[in-house]
mmCIF file of all heavy atoms in Angstrom:
data_model
loop_
_atom_site.group_PDB
_atom_site.id
_atom_site.type_symbol
_atom_site.label_atom_id
_atom_site.label_comp_id
_atom_site.label_asym_id
_atom_site.label_seq_id
_atom_site.Cartn_x
_atom_site.Cartn_y
_atom_site.Cartn_z
ATOM 1 N N VAL A 1 0.843 -1.198 0.005
ATOM 2 C CA VAL A 1 0.053 0.030 0.011
ATOM 3 C C VAL A 1 0.858 1.273 0.019
ATOM 4 O O VAL A 1 0.603 2.245 -0.713
ATOM 5 C CB VAL A 1 -0.923 0.010 1.222
ATOM 6 C CG1 VAL A 1 -1.632 1.335 1.377
ATOM 7 C CG2 VAL A 1 -1.998 -1.114 1.091
ATOM 8 N N MET A 2 1.906 1.252 0.857
ATOM 9 C CA MET A 2 2.807 2.372 0.879
ATOM 10 C C MET A 2 3.490 2.652 -0.488
ATOM 11 O O MET A 2 3.621 3.786 -0.939
ATOM 12 C CB MET A 2 3.871 2.180 1.963
ATOM 13 C CG MET A 2 3.309 2.417 3.394
ATOM 14 S SD MET A 2 4.624 2.399 4.625
ATOM 15 C CE MET A 2 5.136 0.702 4.617
ATOM 16 N N ALA A 3 3.905 1.569 -1.108
ATOM 17 C CA ALA A 3 4.537 1.696 -2.443
ATOM 18 C C ALA A 3 3.556 2.280 -3.502
ATOM 19 O O ALA A 3 3.906 3.140 -4.263
ATOM 20 C CB ALA A 3 5.097 0.398 -2.897
ATOM 21 N N ASN A 4 2.341 1.782 -3.469
ATOM 22 C CA ASN A 4 1.302 2.279 -4.392
ATOM 23 C C ASN A 4 0.936 3.734 -4.117
ATOM 24 O O ASN A 4 0.741 4.497 -5.079
ATOM 25 C CB ASN A 4 0.057 1.430 -4.294
ATOM 26 C CG ASN A 4 0.248 -0.012 -4.790
ATOM 27 O OD1 ASN A 4 1.216 -0.240 -5.598
ATOM 28 N ND2 ASN A 4 -0.609 -0.981 -4.346
ATOM 29 N N GLN A 5 0.875 4.099 -2.868
ATOM 30 C CA GLN A 5 0.591 5.541 -2.543
ATOM 31 C C GLN A 5 1.721 6.404 -3.000
ATOM 32 O O GLN A 5 1.460 7.511 -3.543
ATOM 33 C CB GLN A 5 0.431 5.640 -1.032
ATOM 34 C CG GLN A 5 -0.842 4.999 -0.484
ATOM 35 C CD GLN A 5 -0.934 5.060 0.997
ATOM 36 O OE1 GLN A 5 0.042 5.298 1.718
ATOM 37 N NE2 GLN A 5 -2.100 4.852 1.539
ATOM 38 N N LYS A 6 2.962 5.959 -2.859
ATOM 39 C CA LYS A 6 4.104 6.745 -3.330
ATOM 40 C C LYS A 6 4.078 6.925 -4.822
ATOM 41 O O LYS A 6 4.323 7.989 -5.374
ATOM 42 C CB LYS A 6 5.415 6.146 -2.852
ATOM 43 C CG LYS A 6 6.625 7.010 -3.121
ATOM 44 C CD LYS A 6 6.542 8.258 -2.247
ATOM 45 C CE LYS A 6 7.842 9.141 -2.404
ATOM 46 N NZ LYS A 6 7.820 10.326 -1.623
ATOM 47 N N ALA A 7 3.732 5.829 -5.512
ATOM 48 C CA ALA A 7 3.692 5.854 -7.015
ATOM 49 C C ALA A 7 2.550 6.770 -7.468
ATOM 50 O O ALA A 7 2.736 7.484 -8.464
ATOM 51 C CB ALA A 7 3.480 4.462 -7.557
ATOM 52 N N ALA A 8 1.434 6.725 -6.768
ATOM 53 C CA ALA A 8 0.276 7.608 -7.191
ATOM 54 C C ALA A 8 0.598 9.067 -6.964
ATOM 55 O O ALA A 8 0.208 9.921 -7.777
ATOM 56 C CB ALA A 8 -0.975 7.206 -6.396
ATOM 57 N N GLU A 9 1.347 9.407 -5.924
ATOM 58 C CA GLU A 9 1.700 10.771 -5.633
ATOM 59 C C GLU A 9 2.654 11.334 -6.733
ATOM 60 O O GLU A 9 2.637 12.521 -7.035
ATOM 61 C CB GLU A 9 2.361 10.880 -4.259
ATOM 62 C CG GLU A 9 1.384 10.615 -3.103
ATOM 63 C CD GLU A 9 2.061 10.562 -1.786
ATOM 64 O OE1 GLU A 9 3.288 10.755 -1.793
ATOM 65 O OE2 GLU A 9 1.394 10.312 -0.748
ATOM 66 N N SER A 10 3.507 10.497 -7.193
ATOM 67 C CA SER A 10 4.552 10.946 -8.175
ATOM 68 C C SER A 10 3.998 10.861 -9.638
ATOM 69 O O SER A 10 4.732 11.404 -10.516
ATOM 70 C CB SER A 10 5.837 10.132 -8.057
ATOM 71 O OG SER A 10 5.550 8.760 -8.268
ATOM 72 N N ALA A 11 2.850 10.226 -9.889
ATOM 73 C CA ALA A 11 2.374 10.100 -11.266
ATOM 74 C C ALA A 11 1.787 11.388 -11.782
ATOM 75 O O ALA A 11 1.163 12.153 -11.013
ATOM 76 C CB ALA A 11 1.280 9.032 -11.299
ATOM 77 N N PRO A 12 2.080 11.773 -13.086
ATOM 78 C CA PRO A 12 1.515 13.028 -13.622
ATOM 79 C C PRO A 12 0.021 12.905 -13.773
ATOM 80 O O PRO A 12 -0.621 11.842 -13.957
ATOM 81 C CB PRO A 12 2.172 13.094 -15.023
ATOM 82 C CG PRO A 12 2.511 11.686 -15.358
ATOM 83 C CD PRO A 12 2.893 10.998 -14.038
ATOM 84 N N VAL A 13 -0.677 14.067 -13.616
ATOM 85 C CA VAL A 13 -2.122 14.147 -13.654
ATOM 86 C C VAL A 13 -2.539 14.745 -15.022
ATOM 87 O O VAL A 13 -2.112 15.824 -15.368
ATOM 88 C CB VAL A 13 -2.688 15.029 -12.541
ATOM 89 C CG1 VAL A 13 -4.179 15.129 -12.600
ATOM 90 C CG2 VAL A 13 -2.209 14.427 -11.175
ATOM 91 N N ASP A 14 -3.445 14.045 -15.723
ATOM 92 C CA ASP A 14 -3.986 14.505 -16.989
ATOM 93 C C ASP A 14 -5.276 15.285 -16.722
ATOM 94 O O ASP A 14 -6.239 14.705 -16.256
ATOM 95 C CB ASP A 14 -4.251 13.306 -17.915
ATOM 96 C CG ASP A 14 -4.614 13.786 -19.334
ATOM 97 O OD1 ASP A 14 -4.721 15.013 -19.565
ATOM 98 O OD2 ASP A 14 -4.968 12.936 -20.112
ATOM 99 N N THR A 15 -5.233 16.607 -16.952
ATOM 100 C CA THR A 15 -6.378 17.473 -16.595
ATOM 101 C C THR A 15 -7.427 17.521 -17.706
ATOM 102 O O THR A 15 -8.475 18.053 -17.579
ATOM 103 C CB THR A 15 -5.938 18.861 -16.297
ATOM 104 O OG1 THR A 15 -5.162 19.406 -17.417
ATOM 105 C CG2 THR A 15 -5.045 18.856 -15.062
ATOM 106 N N SER A 16 -7.123 16.953 -18.908
ATOM 107 C CA SER A 16 -8.141 16.948 -20.003
ATOM 108 C C SER A 16 -7.982 15.649 -20.765
ATOM 109 O O SER A 16 -6.945 14.988 -20.751
ATOM 110 C CB SER A 16 -7.894 18.148 -20.941
ATOM 111 O OG SER A 16 -6.643 17.995 -21.601
ATOM 112 N N ALA A 17 -9.085 15.310 -21.452
ATOM 113 C CA ALA A 17 -9.082 14.009 -22.152
ATOM 114 C C ALA A 17 -8.092 13.917 -23.302
ATOM 115 O O ALA A 17 -7.533 12.933 -23.640
ATOM 116 C CB ALA A 17 -10.464 13.747 -22.648
ATOM 117 N N ASN A 18 -7.883 15.134 -23.958
ATOM 118 C CA ASN A 18 -7.014 15.109 -25.102
ATOM 119 C C ASN A 18 -5.610 15.649 -24.899
ATOM 120 O O ASN A 18 -4.739 15.624 -25.761
ATOM 121 C CB ASN A 18 -7.669 16.001 -26.221
ATOM 122 C CG ASN A 18 -9.038 15.474 -26.648
ATOM 123 O OD1 ASN A 18 -9.230 14.252 -26.688
ATOM 124 N ND2 ASN A 18 -10.001 16.340 -26.897
ATOM 125 N N LYS A 19 -5.351 16.136 -23.671
ATOM 126 C CA LYS A 19 -4.054 16.777 -23.427
ATOM 127 C C LYS A 19 -3.041 15.671 -23.034
ATOM 128 O O LYS A 19 -3.375 14.870 -22.191
ATOM 129 C CB LYS A 19 -4.231 17.760 -22.292
ATOM 130 C CG LYS A 19 -2.937 18.507 -22.012
ATOM 131 C CD LYS A 19 -3.150 19.561 -20.903
ATOM 132 C CE LYS A 19 -1.832 20.288 -20.570
ATOM 133 N NZ LYS A 19 -2.019 21.281 -19.502
ATOM 134 N N ILE A 20 -1.902 15.754 -23.579
ATOM 135 C CA ILE A 20 -0.869 14.814 -23.265
ATOM 136 C C ILE A 20 -0.172 15.316 -21.993
ATOM 137 O O ILE A 20 0.212 16.514 -21.932
ATOM 138 C CB ILE A 20 0.224 14.710 -24.404
ATOM 139 C CG1 ILE A 20 -0.482 14.199 -25.674
ATOM 140 C CG2 ILE A 20 1.378 13.805 -23.965
ATOM 141 C CD1 ILE A 20 0.433 14.133 -26.862
ATOM 142 N N PRO A 21 -0.066 14.484 -21.002
ATOM 143 C CA PRO A 21 0.578 14.925 -19.719
ATOM 144 C C PRO A 21 1.957 15.455 -19.972
ATOM 145 O O PRO A 21 2.752 14.852 -20.764
ATOM 146 C CB PRO A 21 0.616 13.676 -18.839
ATOM 147 C CG PRO A 21 -0.464 12.768 -19.462
ATOM 148 C CD PRO A 21 -0.498 13.095 -20.914
ATOM 149 N N GLU A 22 2.295 16.556 -19.332
ATOM 150 C CA GLU A 22 3.621 17.090 -19.446
ATOM 151 C C GLU A 22 4.625 16.190 -18.712
ATOM 152 O O GLU A 22 4.309 15.568 -17.729
ATOM 153 C CB GLU A 22 3.679 18.505 -18.867
ATOM 154 C CG GLU A 22 2.811 19.501 -19.615
ATOM 155 C CD GLU A 22 2.923 20.880 -19.002
ATOM 156 O OE1 GLU A 22 3.653 20.998 -17.960
ATOM 157 O OE2 GLU A 22 2.235 21.799 -19.512
ATOM 158 N N LYS A 23 5.792 16.161 -19.252
ATOM 159 C CA LYS A 23 6.851 15.372 -18.596
ATOM 160 C C LYS A 23 7.251 15.982 -17.227
ATOM 161 O O LYS A 23 7.536 17.177 -17.198
ATOM 162 C CB LYS A 23 8.061 15.340 -19.541
ATOM 163 C CG LYS A 23 9.174 14.385 -18.982
ATOM 164 C CD LYS A 23 10.296 14.305 -20.034
ATOM 165 C CE LYS A 23 11.412 13.333 -19.517
ATOM 166 N NZ LYS A 23 12.467 13.243 -20.507
ATOM 167 N N PRO A 24 7.216 15.201 -16.198
ATOM 168 C CA PRO A 24 7.489 15.780 -14.902
ATOM 169 C C PRO A 24 8.878 16.297 -14.843
ATOM 170 O O PRO A 24 9.787 15.767 -15.480
ATOM 171 C CB PRO A 24 7.247 14.572 -13.924
ATOM 172 C CG PRO A 24 7.413 13.401 -14.769
ATOM 173 C CD PRO A 24 6.890 13.765 -16.131
ATOM 174 N N ALA A 25 9.062 17.353 -14.037
ATOM 175 C CA ALA A 25 10.381 17.935 -13.824
ATOM 176 C C ALA A 25 11.334 16.918 -13.169
ATOM 177 O O ALA A 25 10.887 16.172 -12.301
ATOM 178 C CB ALA A 25 10.289 19.179 -13.015
ATOM 179 N N LEU A 26 12.540 16.905 -13.604
ATOM 180 C CA LEU A 26 13.496 15.951 -12.995
ATOM 181 C C LEU A 26 13.902 16.376 -11.656
ATOM 182 O O LEU A 26 14.268 17.595 -11.486
ATOM 183 C CB LEU A 26 14.658 15.800 -13.979
ATOM 184 C CG LEU A 26 14.461 15.203 -15.347
ATOM 185 C CD1 LEU A 26 15.735 15.234 -16.143
ATOM 186 C CD2 LEU A 26 13.893 13.767 -15.150
ATOM 187 N N GLY A 27 13.861 15.601 -10.676
ATOM 188 C CA GLY A 27 14.307 15.857 -9.353
ATOM 189 C C GLY A 27 15.465 15.035 -8.956
ATOM 190 O O GLY A 27 16.073 14.312 -9.844
ATOM 191 N N PRO A 28 15.884 15.056 -7.708
ATOM 192 C CA PRO A 28 17.003 14.246 -7.272
ATOM 193 C C PRO A 28 16.751 12.717 -7.503
ATOM 194 O O PRO A 28 15.661 12.234 -7.273
ATOM 195 C CB PRO A 28 17.118 14.557 -5.814
ATOM 196 C CG PRO A 28 16.391 15.856 -5.647
ATOM 197 C CD PRO A 28 15.305 15.867 -6.682
ATOM 198 N N THR A 29 17.707 12.013 -8.074
ATOM 199 C CA THR A 29 17.555 10.623 -8.371
ATOM 200 C C THR A 29 17.884 9.803 -7.087
ATOM 201 O O THR A 29 18.678 10.301 -6.274
ATOM 202 C CB THR A 29 18.427 10.189 -9.516
ATOM 203 O OG1 THR A 29 19.780 10.496 -9.161
ATOM 204 C CG2 THR A 29 18.053 10.949 -10.792
ATOM 205 N N HIS A 30 17.242 8.739 -6.916
ATOM 206 C CA HIS A 30 17.554 7.874 -5.806
ATOM 207 C C HIS A 30 17.436 6.400 -6.208
ATOM 208 O O HIS A 30 16.650 6.047 -7.146
ATOM 209 C CB HIS A 30 16.668 8.195 -4.624
ATOM 210 C CG HIS A 30 15.200 8.277 -4.989
ATOM 211 N ND1 HIS A 30 14.351 7.215 -5.061
ATOM 212 C CD2 HIS A 30 14.441 9.391 -5.206
ATOM 213 C CE1 HIS A 30 13.166 7.614 -5.390
ATOM 214 N NE2 HIS A 30 13.194 8.912 -5.503
ATOM 215 N N LEU A 31 18.138 5.550 -5.539
ATOM 216 C CA LEU A 31 18.190 4.105 -5.941
ATOM 217 C C LEU A 31 16.957 3.293 -5.432
ATOM 218 O O LEU A 31 16.526 2.393 -6.094
ATOM 219 C CB LEU A 31 19.454 3.494 -5.341
ATOM 220 C CG LEU A 31 20.815 4.003 -5.896
ATOM 221 C CD1 LEU A 31 21.948 3.317 -5.180
ATOM 222 C CD2 LEU A 31 20.902 3.774 -7.379
ATOM 223 N N PHE A 32 16.382 3.691 -4.283
ATOM 224 C CA PHE A 32 15.344 2.912 -3.697
ATOM 225 C C PHE A 32 14.077 3.778 -3.573
ATOM 226 O O PHE A 32 14.125 5.001 -3.537
ATOM 227 C CB PHE A 32 15.780 2.450 -2.311
ATOM 228 C CG PHE A 32 17.196 1.840 -2.299
ATOM 229 C CD1 PHE A 32 18.202 2.426 -1.578
ATOM 230 C CD2 PHE A 32 17.425 0.641 -2.966
ATOM 231 C CE1 PHE A 32 19.494 1.938 -1.576
ATOM 232 C CE2 PHE A 32 18.762 0.137 -2.935
ATOM 233 C CZ PHE A 32 19.766 0.754 -2.297
ATOM 234 N N ASN A 33 12.941 3.048 -3.509
ATOM 235 C CA ASN A 33 11.664 3.724 -3.339
ATOM 236 C C ASN A 33 10.970 3.169 -2.108
ATOM 237 O O ASN A 33 11.363 2.171 -1.491
ATOM 238 C CB ASN A 33 10.734 3.381 -4.595
ATOM 239 C CG ASN A 33 11.374 3.955 -5.843
ATOM 240 O OD1 ASN A 33 11.687 5.184 -5.898
ATOM 241 N ND2 ASN A 33 11.622 3.129 -6.839
ATOM 242 N N VAL A 34 9.858 3.881 -1.686
ATOM 243 C CA VAL A 34 9.055 3.466 -0.569
ATOM 244 C C VAL A 34 8.517 2.046 -0.812
ATOM 245 O O VAL A 34 7.989 1.763 -1.885
ATOM 246 C CB VAL A 34 7.910 4.440 -0.334
ATOM 247 C CG1 VAL A 34 6.988 3.920 0.742
ATOM 248 C CG2 VAL A 34 8.454 5.829 0.056
ATOM 249 N N GLY A 35 8.688 1.178 0.175
ATOM 250 C CA GLY A 35 8.207 -0.214 0.015
ATOM 251 C C GLY A 35 9.324 -1.172 -0.332
ATOM 252 O O GLY A 35 9.216 -2.411 -0.102
ATOM 253 N N ASP A 36 10.484 -0.663 -0.829
ATOM 254 C CA ASP A 36 11.619 -1.524 -1.118
ATOM 255 C C ASP A 36 12.262 -2.087 0.184
ATOM 256 O O ASP A 36 12.195 -1.387 1.211
ATOM 257 C CB ASP A 36 12.712 -0.771 -1.903
ATOM 258 C CG ASP A 36 12.224 -0.457 -3.343
ATOM 259 O OD1 ASP A 36 11.206 -0.983 -3.764
ATOM 260 O OD2 ASP A 36 12.924 0.314 -4.043
ATOM 261 N N VAL A 37 12.787 -3.263 0.132
ATOM 262 C CA VAL A 37 13.538 -3.843 1.214
ATOM 263 C C VAL A 37 14.999 -3.713 0.914
ATOM 264 O O VAL A 37 15.478 -4.187 -0.104
ATOM 265 C CB VAL A 37 13.108 -5.279 1.457
ATOM 266 C CG1 VAL A 37 13.895 -5.910 2.628
ATOM 267 C CG2 VAL A 37 11.593 -5.363 1.763
ATOM 268 N N VAL A 38 15.733 -3.116 1.839
ATOM 269 C CA VAL A 38 17.182 -2.900 1.614
ATOM 270 C C VAL A 38 17.955 -3.529 2.755
ATOM 271 O O VAL A 38 17.324 -3.969 3.754
ATOM 272 C CB VAL A 38 17.506 -1.404 1.494
ATOM 273 C CG1 VAL A 38 16.812 -0.710 0.322
ATOM 274 C CG2 VAL A 38 17.091 -0.672 2.846
ATOM 275 N N THR A 39 19.256 -3.569 2.601
ATOM 276 C CA THR A 39 20.101 -4.125 3.674
ATOM 277 C C THR A 39 21.219 -3.168 3.916
ATOM 278 O O THR A 39 21.557 -2.360 3.033
ATOM 279 C CB THR A 39 20.644 -5.526 3.281
ATOM 280 O OG1 THR A 39 21.419 -6.042 4.363
ATOM 281 C CG2 THR A 39 21.500 -5.383 2.042
ATOM 282 N N LEU A 40 21.829 -3.236 5.089
ATOM 283 C CA LEU A 40 22.936 -2.379 5.463
ATOM 284 C C LEU A 40 24.253 -2.959 4.766
ATOM 285 O O LEU A 40 24.441 -4.164 4.749
ATOM 286 C CB LEU A 40 23.187 -2.406 6.907
ATOM 287 C CG LEU A 40 22.075 -1.690 7.775
ATOM 288 C CD1 LEU A 40 22.421 -1.863 9.279
ATOM 289 C CD2 LEU A 40 21.823 -0.256 7.388
ATOM 290 N N ARG A 41 25.039 -2.065 4.198
ATOM 291 C CA ARG A 41 26.306 -2.516 3.618
ATOM 292 C C ARG A 41 27.239 -3.086 4.680
ATOM 293 O O ARG A 41 28.005 -4.005 4.437
ATOM 294 C CB ARG A 41 26.967 -1.366 2.925
ATOM 295 C CG ARG A 41 26.292 -0.929 1.679
ATOM 296 C CD ARG A 41 27.070 0.187 0.949
ATOM 297 N NE ARG A 41 26.361 0.657 -0.282
ATOM 298 C CZ ARG A 41 26.540 0.091 -1.464
ATOM 299 N NH1 ARG A 41 27.347 -0.951 -1.618
ATOM 300 N NH2 ARG A 41 25.891 0.552 -2.486
#
């Protein structure tokens, strides 16, 4: 659920039926996302 919520928050919103969503602005890149399981190095 947390992973889906994070994905929904970051997805672009289409405000009209014919309008192509604008490409979201590039932000800081990261290796992991909410819901991923990681380990300590």
Side-chain angles (χ1 to χ4, degrees):
V1 170
M2 287 189 288
N4 292 338
Q5 290 174 344
K6 189 66 176 179
E9 292 173 0
S10 59
V13 178
D14 187 2
T15 57
S16 66
N18 300 322
K19 182 178 179 181
I20 299 176
E22 296 181 0
K23 187 175 182 180
L26 294 177
T29 59
H30 47 83
L31 294 178
F32 314 114
N33 298 305
V34 174
D36 290 350
V37 178
V38 297
T39 184
L40 295 177
R41 291 184 179 274

